[in-house]
Amino acid sequence: MTEKLSEMSLEDLWKLFPIYLTEHQPCWEKWYAEEEKFLKDRVPNIERISHIGSTAIHSICAKPIIDIAVAVHDIKDILPYIEVLKQHNIFFHEGAVAGEVFFVMEDGDIRTHHIHIVKRNGTGWSNYISFRDYLNANPEKAMMYDEFKRKSAVRFADDRKRYTASKQEIIDQLLSEANM
């Protein structure tokens, strides 16, 4: 294979870098804390910031990518900082996640962090926090989600879109329970 990674299609990249889940790692909290400080130091209009996603749920496996939710008054408030973040290998992905401004932090060709910019007090923020807190407080629900993720990772190892879509129903179910 002589093609550069930057020239490859997403489908080819997914085959080259299949979905990989690993057991929870204590270092994930430290990695989050480092990026939280970094972001707060460079983006002054952050109102809230929190570690989210599977790496923030202590009893389940996860892709080793730290998810961070950043709440701002208006998601357009982050746009002036795109170039500053880019200088630190944090890249804007326009339209990647509906209703958010989305960034990916990379180390070479490896994604290390996903940064989700959402509206303060909006549904995105509350869903991220509710989901994380519900699974951390309910180990049996976390294990149910973990088992589902593991099966989906095997089934859709080289198709991230289908892997992500396959989890939506169980995420919606767990969010519904969390918000009761």
Side-chain angles (χ1 to χ4, degrees), residues 36-177:
E36 175 186 25
K37 180 179 179 343
F38 172 87
L39 289 167
K40 284 180 173 179
D41 288 348
R42 285 162 183 81
V43 183
N45 56 357
I46 290 175
E47 297 187 18
R48 294 182 187 164
I49 186 167
S50 196
H51 186 185
I52 60 165
S54 294
T55 60
I57 302 165
H58 302 290
S59 60
I60 68 171
C61 66
K63 295 188 311 288
I65 300 171
I66 308 302
D67 281 287
I68 300 172
V70 174
V72 293
H73 177 72
D74 184 325
I75 59 174
K76 292 180 208 154
D77 293 347
I78 201 75
L79 298 179
Y81 300 96
I82 290 174
E83 286 305 313
V84 170
L85 296 173
K86 185 177 181 180
Q87 293 169 8
H88 297 279
N89 296 325
I90 301 174
F91 301 100
F92 175 55
H93 284 247
E94 189 168 2
V97 181
E100 297 182 5
V101 174
F102 183 71
F103 291 87
V104 172
M105 184 174 181
E106 299 176 359
D107 182 7
D109 292 317
I110 306 295
R111 286 184 174 195
T112 60
H113 298 70
H114 290 160
I115 302 167
H116 307 260
I117 311 298
V118 296
K119 187 173 171 61
R120 174 184 49 108
N121 298 327
T123 304
W125 176 265
S126 62
N127 283 348
Y128 284 136
I129 303 306
S130 294
F131 188 76
R132 179 203 61 203
D133 291 351
Y134 183 68
L135 292 187
N136 276 327
N138 295 280
E140 72 287 350
K141 297 296 184 175
M143 289 295 92
M144 180 178 79
Y145 181 61
D146 182 74
E147 182 179 329
F148 189 91
K149 281 180 56 156
R150 289 177 190 269
K151 288 178 181 175
S152 289
V154 170
R155 185 172 177 201
F156 303 115
D158 61 355
D159 189 336
R160 289 179 189 269
K161 282 185 182 176
R162 289 183 67 194
Y163 168 74
T164 300
S166 75
K167 298 184 304 176
Q168 195 58 54
E169 186 175 333
I170 193 167
I171 289 170
D172 290 345
Q173 173 193 331
L174 292 166
L175 268 173
S176 177
E177 292 172 18

